[in-house]
Amino acid sequence: MHAGRGASRTIPAVQTSAPLAGAQPARPIDIALLVSVFVIAACGLLYELAAGALASYLLGDSVLQFSTIIGSYLFAMGIGSWLSRYFEDHLPAHFLRIELMVALVGGALPATLFIANAYAPGAFRFLLYGMVLVVGTLVGLEIPLVMRILKRNVTLKDLVSQVLTFDYLGALAVSLAFPLLLVPKLGLVRTGLLFGFMNAAVAVWALLLFRHELRRPRAHALACAAVLALLGTGIWGADHLTRLADDHFYQDRIVLSSSSPYQRIVVTQGRQGARLYLNGNLQFAQSDEYRYHEALVHPVMAAHGAPKRVAVLGGGDGMAVREVLKYPSVESVTLVELDPAMTDLFKDNAMLRRLNGEALSDARVHILNTDAFHWLQQGGDTFDVVIVDFPDPTNFAIGKLFTNSFYALLDKRLAASGYAVVQTTSPLIARKSYWTVVQTIESIGLQATPYHAHVPSFGEWGFVIASHRPWREPDALPAGLRFLSAQTMALMFDFPLDMARVPAEVNRLSNQVLVNTYEREWGRVER
């Protein structure tokens, strides 16, 4: 990705004039400028990644959002590189001012978009792409100006190689640090402001290096001080800015919030208890989560009779594991959850541990923080029951977990007498999406048994049992359930006319029709 980025913004700046004869040894000022290239390359890519991550968090469909953000950003950088030809005189002054503008707009990008999403959601897309185009244009101006300043003392051949080397090294550094260190430790808002501060620091560096060439050094110094003060204040108050946006968006009081490389996790507390949101989407409400998790777990666990080995894919909150552990026959539970931030939160936080009944601390539970698709591909032991509790297929990254390829892998890990169950969105609101999952499960030779339950926070919600043998209605359920009973369970397997089966395609990795169908059906409701 970055190779195209570097090329798009540096090629327009390369002059065709002959290289300087007898190049001089690199001066300290040239080395300082090359270090600046490293910093501005890191900052430029950081703003691009932050915009893509925010778009994925708040708009869903990570593949589409990252693709359009990166494309828009590269296009804007090309415009900036083209515009650089019109900057002829006073290049250090232009470079300094551009750095300050990048620092302000790029550094404030995550905070501005979070606040816009909370207070003016209708303007979010316009503001997102507007800021991406502005930052991209400014970033596209940076390297051409640096190259022209360096050209005073460096041959063309050495100039291009040195600038591109530092440019790509800066991009490499931030591409590794962004998901592994910056977002988990600092969050998007503080990370953006910190890198804006670094851009402003480059402007200060330029002020010191070229102070004798600047016509109004005092005015430039005041501008640098003002931008540094604004960004420093933002870094200091980043948590307050995030809470301000979150409090307005979620309405209930926020008691926990964190960002991981995979998602933004928010837990609120209101009159109806705790609620969990991932990327702004409600995952459970304490007031009725028992309906969802009892309906998800017990039809397959009780039907099996005496399950010993159970796998839970997704469900990092531990609620499904809590229900699984109500069966004394269970000897081991393997919880496969991609995001360690989820399992750590629901294992360590006292309030959340109470919600899942300390399930994640049970000695029988083994937590694996890995991608469920890859885990299935590795092969291994079979399971009596597999609980598949992924979020809805809002993007292609999640959509692969609803494909025939995934279910074929699941089939290999399911014991001959075992049952798997998949949470499968709403058969009322997203009717075709629901039956697409049923069709996909059947396409790989498993028997599919669809059913649904009413969960007030979500409405009618669907599930599908996948098995090698026919599902049989259990005679008894564990004591103490609040929603299900052996007498009423059969009602969940009856579909009224408005949720009855409709023709649907098989969801394959090569087409992922489910993601588009889901977006279309739920989009009608949201609009």
Side-chain angles (χ1 to χ4, degrees):
M1 175 186 76
H2 199 68
R5 172 178 172 269
S8 69
R9 71 179 187 188
T10 55
I11 287 175
V14 175
Q15 304 291 326
T16 57
S17 57
L20 297 175
Q24 303 174 13
R27 302 172 300 166
I29 191 172
D30 299 328
I31 296 173
L33 282 171
L34 288 173
V35 174
S36 298
V37 170
F38 178 92
V39 175
I40 63 181
C43 292
L45 183 60
L46 185 282
Y47 305 139
E48 184 179 351
L49 292 173
L54 268 169
S56 298
Y57 281 4
L58 303 175
L59 299 177
D61 195 348
S62 58
V63 174
L64 174 64
Q65 302 309 328
F66 265 101
S67 179
T68 54
I69 291 296
I70 291 171
S72 301
Y73 197 82
L74 293 176
F75 170 73
M77 287 172 63
I79 293 176
S81 294
W82 181 80
L83 290 174
S84 68
R85 70 181 62 192
Y86 297 105
F87 292 78
E88 298 179 356
D89 302 320
H90 312 295
L91 296 182
H94 290 312
F95 175 71
L96 188 154
R97 288 191 287 267
I98 287 169
E99 285 304 296
L100 292 179
M101 288 189 286
V102 173
L104 274 177
V105 182
L109 184 147
T112 303
L113 292 176
F114 265 124
I115 292 173
N117 183 63
Y119 289 89
F124 177 81
R125 288 179 188 268
F126 175 81
L127 189 61
L128 169 67
Y129 286 97
M131 295 188 76
V132 165
L133 291 173
V134 170
V135 174
T137 301
L138 293 172
V139 170
L141 285 166
E142 290 175 314
I143 296 299
L145 294 183
V146 170
M147 292 180 71
R148 288 165 63 185
I149 293 170
L150 281 168
K151 193 180 175 185
R152 300 170 179 177
N153 196 55
V154 182
T155 62
L156 181 61
K157 179 181 69 175
D158 292 338
L159 170 64
V160 173
S161 65
Q162 290 172 1
V163 169
L164 289 181
T165 297
F166 279 84
D167 183 42
Y168 294 142
L169 285 175
L172 172 65
V174 80
S175 65
L176 295 175
F178 182 78
L180 299 176
L181 178 65
L182 296 171
V183 173
K185 300 296 183 183
L186 300 178
L188 276 174
V189 171
R190 184 173 275 114
T191 295
L193 291 165
L194 175 63
F195 274 72
F197 196 90
M198 291 167 59
N199 264 128
V202 170
V204 173
W205 200 337
L207 175 66
L208 296 175
L209 292 176
F210 302 106
R211 58 188 180 279
H212 300 302
E213 298 185 40
L214 299 175
R215 289 183 175 180
R216 301 169 60 191
R218 180 171 296 181
H220 286 99
L222 289 174
C224 289
V227 172
L228 286 170
L230 283 172
L231 292 169
T233 302
I235 293 171
W236 175 77
D239 290 338
H240 178 73
L241 284 172
T242 303
R243 284 196 300 271
L244 182 69
D246 284 348
D247 287 344
H248 188 272
F249 182 80
Y250 293 104
Q251 298 180 349
D252 287 340
R253 180 173 61 91
I254 295 172
V255 293
L256 288 168
S257 65
S258 66
S259 295
S260 77
Y262 306 105
Q263 58 200 348
R264 177 157 174 77
I265 305 168
V266 173
V267 179
T268 66
Q269 183 72 41
R271 291 182 178 180
Q272 296 185 329
R275 291 173 178 258
L276 170 68
Y277 295 87
L278 300 181
N279 295 341
N281 298 311
L282 180 65
Q283 301 302 302
F284 74 72
Q286 185 179 354
S287 60
D288 57 21
E289 60 83 12
Y290 67 92
R291 279 179 162 251
Y292 172 88
H293 290 104
E294 287 184 13
L296 173 69
V297 171
H298 294 295
V300 288
M301 289 290 291
H304 185 279
K308 294 181 179 181
R309 297 176 54 83
V310 179
V312 178
L313 312 184
D317 52 38
M319 304 297 188
V321 176
R322 177 196 66 201
E323 299 301 317
V324 167
L325 293 176
K326 292 179 179 179
Y327 291 81
S329 63
V330 172
E331 297 176 357
S332 69
V333 180
T334 301
L335 173 61
V336 183
E337 164 62 47
L338 177 64
D339 193 351
M342 275 288 289
T343 49
D344 290 346
L345 189 62
F346 280 84
K347 186 176 181 181
D348 300 334
N349 182 272
M351 180 190 72
L352 300 178
R353 288 204 313 267
R354 287 193 296 272
L355 289 180
N356 63 32
E358 309 272 352
L360 299 186
S361 299
D362 192 287
R364 292 170 289 176
V365 177
H366 310 284
I367 299 173
L368 300 176
N369 293 123
T370 187
D371 181 89
F373 199 104
H374 295 158
W375 178 75
L376 288 175
Q377 284 179 318
Q378 293 169 4
D381 296 332
T382 59
F383 295 88
D384 300 316
V385 171
V386 180
I387 313 291
V388 184
D389 191 17
F390 298 130
D392 278 7
T394 55
N395 58 60
F396 293 112
I398 301 175
K400 72 176 184 180
L401 304 174
F402 291 81
T403 60
N404 61 343
S405 299
F406 178 84
Y407 296 132
L409 293 171
L410 178 63
D411 181 17
K412 296 177 181 179
R413 304 295 294 274
L414 190 63
S417 61
Y419 293 111
V421 62
V422 182
Q423 91 77 13
T424 326
T425 197
S426 170
L428 180 62
I429 296 174
R431 185 175 176 183
K432 188 170 183 178
S433 299
Y434 177 84
W435 292 106
T436 295
V437 176
V438 175
Q439 181 71 26
T440 303
I441 290 173
E442 291 175 341
S443 72
I444 56 103
L446 287 172
Q447 297 191 40
T449 307
Y451 65 102
H452 62 97
H454 184 74
V455 182
S457 294
F458 302 105
E460 288 295 327
W461 210 254
F463 311 86
V464 182
I465 297 170
S467 58
H468 300 114
R469 58 170 175 155
W471 177 82
R472 61 176 183 83
E473 186 177 339
D475 298 325
L477 294 171
L481 299 188
R482 301 169 59 190
F483 171 55
L484 287 185
S485 69
Q487 293 73 31
T488 60
M489 183 182 292
L491 298 175
M492 298 194 302
F493 294 81
D494 181 35
F495 282 77
L497 291 176
D498 58 356
M499 295 193 294
R501 187 162 189 164
V502 293
E505 297 181 57
V506 174
N507 188 43
R508 307 177 190 275
L509 274 176
S510 59
N511 59 28
Q512 293 241 26
V513 296
L514 178 60
V515 175
N516 296 323
T517 302
Y518 179 92
E519 171 65 23
R520 185 170 60 252
E521 291 184 315
W522 277 100
R524 289 199 300 264
V525 177
E526 293 169 358
R527 286 191 287 270

